[in-house]
Amino acid sequence: MVTGSASGKVILFGEHAVVYGRPAIAVPVAQLQATATVTPASPGYGIALHLPDIGDHVPVTGLATERPLAQVIQHTVKALELSPTPDWTITVHSDIPVASGLGSGAAVATAIVRAMAAAADRKLSPDQVSAIVFEGEKLFHGTPSGIDNTVVAFEQPVWFIRTESAQPFPIAASLSIVIGDSGIASPTSVAVGDVRQAWQNDQEFHDTIFDAISDIVHAARTAMENGDMATLGNLMDLNHRLLQRLKVSSPELNILCDAARAAGALGAKLSGGGRGGNMIALVQSGQEDSVVRALRKAGAVRTITTVVESVPEPVTRPSL
Ligand code: MEV
């Protein structure tokens, strides 16, 4: 029995615009974990995916399937050159809420790839893992930027532009982030598809918003490099307003962001695809509890407090 795991993620700045070539910043969230366990099965069984959390069991071997996780398994079999196909049950558990902007799809897929590599006694680079998971993301999301699979596979804060290699960058001071879950499931593919349709109807308007978001993401990187929390909070508020203009916020997310600000957060915005799912608030160290209480009172069904540790000198891996 061999296990692989992966963290969830939040996007700090730049969601949606990142699909259109603008930069974004995302960080892993270690409190949210998906795990996959490979158990040997009887000869001739092939590979089956067992998802007890949702009561599903999917035979994978020999199946022409569009199911994202089955595709991820088939790509991993190829990447690991597993021939003949092994006889495995792959059991997946995840505490990452689905359809909530926390990278559940990418984390579950990454856990599966890692568990399969470990069961085959092989190593895949983060770049290889990310590329395999991206194949599943395309089926989950239609036109993903690739940011989710990148931040989950590399497990460090990244500056991401879809046509370039992701970059780590220095973060002068650690960031306290409170994540608030609106409790409303909202598949990323729907929000991304709606933005695409709106962009097709009025490219000039949307490109102007994407450019304004891009300016915010650049300014946020500078603020993170300088440890300038007040500016970073303001930039979150501005990014949220632009996401509202893209029509990917919702009354519930707006209420949660307002509540966090009123409780002393330095800034707040939705995170991920939007419409429902999660928002994030930047808080001064020591203010976490009051922001958590305010979010709960304003309707958050769950909150997570996480710290993005400072990164004085980021380690650049060959492919990052
Ligand atoms: C989803 O986590 C982030 C989006 O920008 C979509 C993507 O980048 O693929 C909304």
Side-chain angles (χ1 to χ4, degrees), residues 9 11 15-16 18-19 144-145 147-148 188 192 272-273:
K9 66 94 206 357
I11 296 188
E15 51 276 271
H16 286 291
V18 69
V19 175
S145 63
I147 191 168
D148 286 16
T188 305
V192 169

Side-chain angles (χ1 to χ4, degrees), residues 7 19 28 37 43 67 73 79 120 135 147 157 171 180 189 194 230 255 267 275 305-307 315:
S7 306
V19 175
T37 305
R67 285 186 70 148
I73 290 171
E135 294 304 316
I147 191 168
I171 300 175
S189 56
D194 289 353
I255 287 169
R275 295 276 165 75
T305 301
T306 189
V307 174
V315 182

Side-chain angles (χ1 to χ4, degrees), residues 59-85:
V60 173
T61 306
L63 205 69
T65 173
E66 285 296 290
R67 285 186 70 148
L69 293 180
Q71 286 277 317
V72 164
I73 290 171
Q74 287 172 350
H75 281 285
T76 312
V77 167
K78 268 196 213 130
L80 294 170
E81 296 168 339
L82 298 177
S83 180
T85 303

Side-chain angles (χ1 to χ4, degrees), residues 186-210:
S186 169
T188 305
S189 56
V190 175
V192 169
D194 289 353
V195 172
R196 180 156 299 271
Q197 183 128 41
W199 173 75
Q200 276 159 353
N201 291 341
D202 188 347
Q203 293 200 7
E204 205 183 317
F205 170 78
H206 287 86
D207 283 337
T208 307
I209 304 263
F210 297 149

Side-chain angles (χ1 to χ4, degrees), residues 39-54:
T39 320
S42 43
Y45 180 85
I47 300 181
L49 184 61
H50 188 48
L51 304 162
D53 296 346
I54 55 167

